[in-house]
Amino acid sequence: MANLPFPSKRAPIYQDIPDEKWNSWRWQLSNRLNSAEDFEKVLNLTDSERRALNTQNLFRVDITPYYASLMDPNDTEDPIRKQVVPRDDEITPFTGMMEDSLAEDRHSPVPGLVHRYPDRVLMLVTTQCASYCRYCTRSRIVGDPTATFSRSEFEMQIDYLKRTPQVRDVLLSGGDPLVLAPKLLEELLSRLREIPHIEIIRIGSRVPVFMPQRVDDELCNMLQKYHPLWMNIHVNHPNEISAELAQATDRLTRAGIPLGNQAVLLAGVNDCVHIQRRLVQDLVRIRVRPYYLYQCDLVEGAGHFRTPVAKGIEIIEGLRGHTSGYAVPTYVVDAPGGGGKIPLMPNYQVTMSDHKIVLRNYEGYITTYEEPIEYRPHDPKTCAYCQNKRVEPGQSGLSGLLDGEEMFIKPEGFDQLHNRGGGAHRLRADDAKWKPLGIGSGSKDEA
Ligand SMILES: *Cc1c(COP(=O)(O)O)cnc(C)c1O
């Protein structure tokens, strides 16, 4: 690995901690900061922060000494501090907020499993994290120390997956799967790997960012037994990219795990094209591919982090073409009410007619693209993929047909979860339910 310039920091109060403690994830977990008194040792708290920390029923606070050390103790607007130290804005409600804004609970066939897309599921395996983000989408369930991993729920989840063969991708999230006891995480992965139709497993984790010490040889050796395994981490600001994080991502990629990043667009933290450009360029240096940039969800306590959607589009416009294509994430809004992730892009298509498209490039330069006069498309009638027949890897065309076999087998209860009619849908403001919009499906507009 080329010498990378990323710093390694320790707040003054931790200078005398022996390295073997500092580098131990167990020490980092058990020495987390969570009270005004703890924070006063590391930061100069503002009145607003002190008020929030002393409020009853606040969403859980916990910060590893490693992550706290990345903050500038004298900068009350520090982008790392704002992500994890509560301030009294958090106690202020805003109109439009929702407890379960993505309607995940409505798409749960069994507790802890969210089946919103046809071929993949989200599996919530713990409520615990290494530190807690103030804008957490799942603050309704995350952090509760009495609601940890449940074996009986896990068995129900495995059972659902076994009888749901169209699930080929399982995304472990929570909470943070990498705070589970190593043996328990391995048991989870090996049970999933016993199910033949599960092609890939993904882990969504902020542990490499909050507690890179956890990414040790023991963890990497265990994870690489369960390939194909992918991982998304969660970095929001270039100040989070440290020597320790770079070492953790190096270990994970050497273990063959492709890494992506899911960032959240946050007012006063990273709502700036220059910060985002530095972030995505530093991410590709540590071999992490920016995957999604999320619009902040409508979560209670997180109103002060929200930005206009135009800001996200402006950021993508300032990246695409201006830097490596590898470094450009997809900007998405996770639709309130459970519509899934919706990608948003700057508009590069000026006009379109029968044979010509007028386009603009990243510099604003206008160009005309001539469509082909004659187009002979492939024949769906002789295409095994179009005929909805299973095609085994390495086979193609009609030799791969297994007569009468369907690609998608619906499990019990799937229609009730997903049956919202065909074609495009529209969110109705009054009841936040999805209605057919009547484009392409031939159905009537009901509103
Ligand atoms: C984000 C998400 C996924 C994964 O979506 P991808 O676009 O494939 O990364 C799956 N299920 C749920 C419920 C999700 O929110």
Side-chain angles (χ1 to χ4, degrees):
M1 184 167 60
N3 255 338
L4 295 172
F6 304 111
S8 178
K9 292 183 176 172
R10 262 199 222 191
I13 59 155
Y14 303 120
Q15 292 302 338
D16 295 332
I17 302 294
D19 286 354
E20 61 278 15
K21 280 190 178 166
W22 182 259
N23 295 327
S24 147
W25 60 271
R26 290 185 174 88
W27 185 89
Q28 290 284 339
L29 270 186
S30 47
N31 287 276
R32 287 181 289 180
L33 311 165
N34 50 45
S35 64
E37 196 192 351
D38 289 345
F39 287 111
E40 301 279 14
K41 295 178 193 149
V42 185
L43 306 170
N44 295 311
L45 286 184
T46 63
D47 290 343
S48 162
E49 289 167 332
R50 210 172 290 113
R51 265 197 302 279
L53 284 163
N54 291 323
T55 303
Q56 297 289 306
N57 301 322
L58 191 74
F59 173 52
R60 179 160 168 194
V61 177
D62 250 325
I63 306 176
T64 56
Y66 159 82
Y67 194 68
S69 297
L70 300 179
M71 301 171 195
D72 173 348
N74 300 312
D75 180 5
T76 58
E77 298 302 298
D78 181 275
I80 292 187
R81 175 172 179 155
K82 280 182 166 171
Q83 292 182 55
V84 288
V85 179
R87 40 184 70 198
D88 58 13
D89 299 310
E90 200 170 304
I91 313 158
T92 321
F94 66 97
T95 48
M97 73 181 184
M98 304 180 209
E99 205 189 342
D100 175 19
S101 80
L102 307 180
E104 291 187 326
D105 298 345
R106 204 148 46 77
H107 289 105
S108 289
V110 297
L113 207 64
V114 187
H115 194 175
R116 138 131 285 293
Y117 296 105
D119 68 340
R120 54 209 190 278
V121 298
L122 174 68
M123 194 166 162
L124 307 175
V125 297
T126 173
T127 59
Q128 305 297 294
C129 289
S131 301
Y132 295 91
C133 308
R134 304 326 297 166
Y135 50 87
C136 179
T137 294
R138 296 201 191 94
S139 52
R140 71 185 187 282
I141 45 175
V142 161
D144 180 354
T146 62
T148 52
F149 178 80
S150 147
R151 181 156 298 277
S152 65
E153 279 184 17
F154 176 62
E155 294 302 334
M156 285 165 74
Q157 294 169 350
I158 290 286
D159 186 58
Y160 177 84
L161 292 172
K162 280 186 178 159
R163 60 190 157 83
T164 312
Q166 85 272 27
V167 174
R168 42 161 290 286
D169 175 359
V170 175
L171 202 172
L172 302 183
S173 182
D176 197 317
L178 294 189
V179 301
L180 288 177
K183 283 226 164 62
L184 187 57
L185 179 61
E186 171 148 27
E187 191 196 331
L188 264 158
L189 291 170
S190 69
R191 293 287 303 279
L192 288 170
R193 269 287 163 249
E194 284 168 11
I195 305 175
H197 55 262
I198 295 177
E199 295 174 1
I200 65 170
I201 299 175
R202 298 195 238 180
I203 294 177
S205 174
R206 210 177 185 194
V207 156
V209 178
F210 284 145
M211 197 174 62
Q213 297 77 10
R214 176 72 178 91
V215 184
D216 53 12
D217 288 337
E218 186 195 0
L219 179 75
C220 293
N221 290 337
M222 185 277 279
L223 292 177
Q224 66 185 337
K225 291 196 266 172
Y226 301 98
H227 276 313
L229 182 79
W230 293 60
M231 191 181 293
N232 270 323
I233 65 170
H234 173 177
V235 186
N236 290 325
H237 191 280
N239 291 3
E240 293 172 300
I241 304 186
S242 65
E244 289 86 348
L245 175 61
Q247 186 179 49
T249 61
D250 185 55
R251 285 189 172 143
L252 291 165
T253 45
R254 280 170 197 270
I257 303 168
L259 296 178
N261 187 58
Q262 314 202 79
V264 181
L265 182 54
L266 299 168
V269 173
N270 61 9
D271 55 338
C272 158
V273 69
H274 304 108
I275 293 174
Q276 290 283 346
R277 199 177 299 160
R278 184 76 265 153
L279 171 65
V280 297
Q281 290 173 346
D282 285 350
L283 283 168
V284 294
R285 293 180 84 175
I286 62 168
R287 314 213 289 296
V288 176
R289 168 91 158 88
Y291 180 60
Y292 284 141
L293 173 63
Y294 284 94
Q295 175 69 3
C296 188
D297 289 328
L298 304 176
V299 182
E300 193 174 342
H304 57 295
F305 286 116
R306 296 178 66 211
T307 64
V309 167
K311 181 51 74 177
I313 294 175
E314 179 196 319
I315 286 167
I316 299 303
E317 176 135 31
L319 296 177
R320 174 63 66 193
H322 299 275
T323 192
S324 317
Y326 278 133
V328 184
T330 303
Y331 174 48
V332 291
V333 176
D334 220 330
K341 297 175 186 71
I342 299 173
L344 291 173
M345 280 268 276
N347 186 17
Y348 296 106
Q349 188 178 312
V350 182
T351 58
M352 188 166 184
S353 70
D354 266 3
H355 296 294
K356 270 186 198 164
I357 309 180
V358 179
L359 303 168
R360 73 171 175 93
N361 78 350
Y362 74 102
E363 300 158 301
Y365 173 84
I366 304 282
T367 187
T368 301
Y369 179 84
E370 298 269 348
E371 298 268 45
I373 311 272
E374 194 192 2
Y375 166 48
R376 262 172 285 159
H378 100 298
D379 182 0
K381 287 200 285 297
T382 59
C383 170
Y385 297 88
C386 292
Q387 296 303 312
N388 219 13
K389 304 292 160 119
R390 191 183 297 276
V391 181
E392 299 302 331
Q395 284 185 322
S396 66
L398 293 169
S399 63
L401 283 182
L402 297 178
D403 238 356
E405 197 176 346
E406 288 216 16
M407 190 106 90
F408 296 116
I409 305 157
K410 289 182 188 169
E412 237 176 274
F414 187 80
D415 279 336
Q416 286 92 293
L417 278 172
H418 290 276
N419 196 357
R420 294 180 305 272
H425 297 81
R426 162 166 72 202
L427 188 66
R428 249 175 36 179
D430 56 352
D431 62 4
K433 290 226 177 70
W434 294 88
K435 295 283 174 195
L437 186 60
I439 299 173
S441 63
S443 57
K444 282 252 163 57
D445 190 355
E446 291 168 58

